[in-house]
Amino acid sequence: MPIGFRVLKAERKVSAQWVSRYRDVPVANVSDSMHRMTAGGARLRPMHREGVLAGPALTVKARPGDNLMLHYAIDIAEPGDVIVVDAGGDLSNALIGEMMVAYAEKRGVAGIVINGAIRDAGSIGAGTFPLFAAGISHRGPYKDGPGEINVPIAIDGMVIEPGDLVIGDDDGLLCVPYDHVEAVYGRAAAKHEAELKQMQQIAEGTNSRAWVLESLKQKGCEFAG
């Protein structure tokens, strides 16, 4: 099968049970639990009004400005899948608009990530279908290919393999590798619970800030007088 123009089958995907659990944990907490070493880039922003993105990745590698493989990915996506498109980050041509979003939502797709541009930003921005993208362009796409489906892709250094967990909220996008979903969740959930307690202490005025001065002293900070 020639590299560059092919459709493969996903061998595995994160379960709906783990997808549901991750919906209740902020992406920032998950990122902290992965030592803040993984990110999809600051350009990938939510284009929809509100709502959390979470689901197993159906990956697409597309030629910049071309959405033929994205069309087919929507056709074959299973309910709950998140379609993640690496289009090289090019913003010259939009790869998706309101009609494709409506079709994807009708088919039960959980969300779409475009490392590239979208259009019909007004209608998409008024909706709740999770859509992350790098920018906006009124110029439409080509439909010639080539491209690949269900192959490893990378966005700003973040590798995404088919079936990995993809999550996104107002702070951005993150991929949790399939083999690490359970372990990362345990750490992220514990961190989230600890932060909720801290927020309660702040509200009650009982939070301690002693660690700030202690850290400065340990790092050799000098104080006048």
Side-chain angles (χ1 to χ4, degrees):
M1 187 174 291
I3 293 176
F5 207 4
R6 57 183 179 169
V7 177
L8 304 181
K9 291 185 178 180
E11 300 295 330
R12 61 187 187 180
K13 69 165 61 177
V14 66
S15 71
Q17 176 188 17
W18 284 116
V19 172
S20 178
R21 289 184 178 182
Y22 269 86
R23 284 185 175 277
D24 296 325
V25 182
V27 170
N29 289 152
V30 181
S31 178
D32 287 349
S33 299
M34 296 171 65
H35 295 281
R36 304 167 183 141
M37 291 295 291
T38 301
R43 289 205 308 166
L44 286 177
R45 304 303 307 156
M47 298 291 175
H48 54 293
R49 186 181 75 244
E50 60 184 7
V52 173
L53 172 73
L58 193 170
T59 60
V60 179
K61 184 183 287 291
R63 183 169 67 88
D66 192 290
N67 74 352
L68 178 61
M69 299 307 278
L70 172 55
H71 272 284
Y72 190 62
I74 297 175
D75 285 342
I76 65 174
E78 297 179 348
D81 284 349
V82 173
I83 299 174
V84 187
V85 183
D86 175 16
D90 182 80
L91 304 181
S92 300
N93 298 80
L95 296 193
I96 194 168
E98 61 180 339
M99 286 191 291
M100 290 177 69
V101 166
Y103 177 54
E105 189 171 14
K106 181 69 174 180
R107 298 210 68 253
V109 174
I112 295 176
V113 178
I114 306 287
N115 187 21
I118 70 163
R119 66 179 180 179
D120 301 325
S123 59
I124 291 172
T128 58
F129 178 81
L131 176 59
F132 284 71
I136 298 168
S137 173
H138 58 78
R139 299 203 306 182
Y142 302 100
K143 296 176 174 61
D144 302 308
E148 298 178 294
I149 293 177
N150 281 323
V151 297
I153 61 174
I155 299 177
D156 203 31
M158 182 175 72
V159 177
I160 305 170
E161 298 197 34
D164 283 351
L165 176 65
V166 177
I167 56 176
D169 61 18
D170 290 340
D171 286 331
L173 189 81
L174 181 63
C175 173
V176 183
Y178 177 92
D179 290 330
H180 298 276
V181 165
E182 183 174 357
V184 170
Y185 176 80
R187 295 192 295 270
K191 182 172 179 59
H192 182 44
E193 182 64 26
E195 288 190 356
L196 290 176
K197 291 180 180 178
Q198 284 182 294
M199 289 295 292
Q200 182 178 353
Q201 291 170 349
I202 290 172
E204 295 171 350
T206 60
N207 61 304
S208 172
R209 301 288 295 170
W211 68 270
V212 179
L213 180 58
E214 184 61 28
S215 179
L216 289 171
K217 291 178 178 178
Q218 289 181 356
K219 296 177 187 300
C221 179
E222 297 184 6
F223 298 86

